[in-house]
Amino acid sequence: MKLRDTGLGFSPITILIHWIVAGLAAWMIWSGLSATYGDAGGKAGMVYLHSIAGVVIFIISTYRLWARLSSYHPLPIGSPNPIEVMVSRSVAVGLALAPVLLPLDGWLMMSAAGKAITLPGGIVLPALIRPNVEVEQVARLLHKIGAYAFMAGLALHIFGAVKHHFVLKNDTVRRMLGKRVEL
Ligand code: HEM
Ligand code: HEM
């Protein structure tokens, strides 16, 4: 089995990770918004589920970011406009980076608030710093800005996928679903 991406195609691992991370990212956005704007009674439970999934997405995405930066990237399909290729690749790098940075910031936010991150099995992540209100406020603001920038990038990314599939009618989305495409 091809373990790494090449200039000709994505490895099955990249494809599997892409869709697992897409599902987890949807959960992170929904649970983060519910924790922030939902009823106060359910907040602690939502933050708990949000942080457990955050640890999982962080581990998978750290591997993915390393693989993305250390492998060749498959060539785009067809003959796209170079500006569009640059924009879509920059957005994809941002999307690969966000699920690594947002969990680190979430961990910092929780540590600064003096709240422990408890995982199933009773494992408690060590606090990154001592409780500190100023750091907590900055980390919370960065989490908000980062999460909304991530959602904007994701909207652009999905718009690109829809355009490739329905307007340009090429195999870009099918290749991300595992189809072998001859370039
Ligand atoms: C419904 C949601 C999504 C759709 C339809 C979608 C679609 C696609 C497609 C078609 C490609 C291949 C582009 C190419 O051939 O160059 C791609 C690549 C990529 N997507 Fe998505 N995507 C979605 C969600 C996400 C999410 C949530 C993330 C990140 C958290 C993400 C990150 C990436 C990255 C980093 C790449 C480049 C390949 C890689 O390094 O893994 N995508 N996506
Ligand atoms: C890919 C990873 C993550 C994404 C996409 C994400 C997304 C979000 C979003 C959209 C919100 C709502 C923000 C707002 O409207 O103010 C939020 C809130 C929150 N997130 Fe995350 N998050 C991630 C990882 C984490 C992790 C790993 C933790 C903790 C370890 C965490 C802790 C929190 C907390 C405590 C809140 C509530 C903040 C408040 O009370 O205002 N997040 N997150």
Side-chain angles (χ1 to χ4, degrees):
M1 185 169 69
K2 195 159 54 101
L3 293 178
R4 304 295 295 271
D5 299 347
T6 66
L8 296 177
F10 292 110
S11 83
I13 295 177
T14 299
I15 293 173
L16 183 68
I17 287 181
H18 176 268
W19 295 111
I20 292 176
V21 170
L24 282 171
W27 165 257
M28 293 311 293
I29 291 169
W30 184 80
S31 57
L33 292 174
S34 304
T36 308
Y37 304 107
D39 66 288
K43 184 169 172 121
M46 253 322 161
V47 169
Y48 173 65
L49 295 176
H50 185 72
S51 22
I52 293 177
V55 172
V56 176
I57 202 171
F58 171 75
I59 294 168
I60 301 176
S61 302
T62 302
Y63 165 77
R64 177 63 205 128
L65 184 64
W66 167 78
R68 171 78 170 79
L69 296 176
S70 59
S71 310
Y72 289 105
H73 196 68
L75 289 167
I77 293 173
S79 38
N81 170 335
I83 304 283
E84 277 182 19
V85 174
M86 275 162 61
V87 171
S88 65
R89 294 243 160 135
S90 310
V91 170
V93 170
L95 290 180
L97 205 56
V100 175
L101 297 181
L102 279 170
L104 289 176
D105 178 69
W107 189 4
L108 181 65
M109 185 196 334
M110 300 275 283
S111 306
K115 293 182 186 147
I117 300 177
T118 312
L119 303 178
I123 302 164
V124 181
L125 293 188
L128 289 177
I129 56 163
R130 288 169 198 276
N132 181 317
V133 181
E134 282 88 25
V135 175
E136 187 205 344
Q137 283 170 348
V138 172
R140 192 179 294 274
L141 180 65
L142 287 178
H143 203 72
K144 195 188 253 307
I145 295 171
Y148 281 84
F150 179 56
M151 287 188 252
L154 194 54
L156 211 58
H157 184 70
I158 294 175
F159 170 79
V162 168
K163 183 176 166 194
H164 276 289
H165 199 69
F166 294 105
V167 181
L168 303 174
K169 295 190 194 309
N170 63 31
D171 276 337
T172 301
V173 175
R174 284 186 205 95
R175 178 167 73 171
M176 229 336 147
L177 289 165
K179 183 178 176 189
R180 219 185 122 85
V181 174
E182 298 299 334
L183 288 167

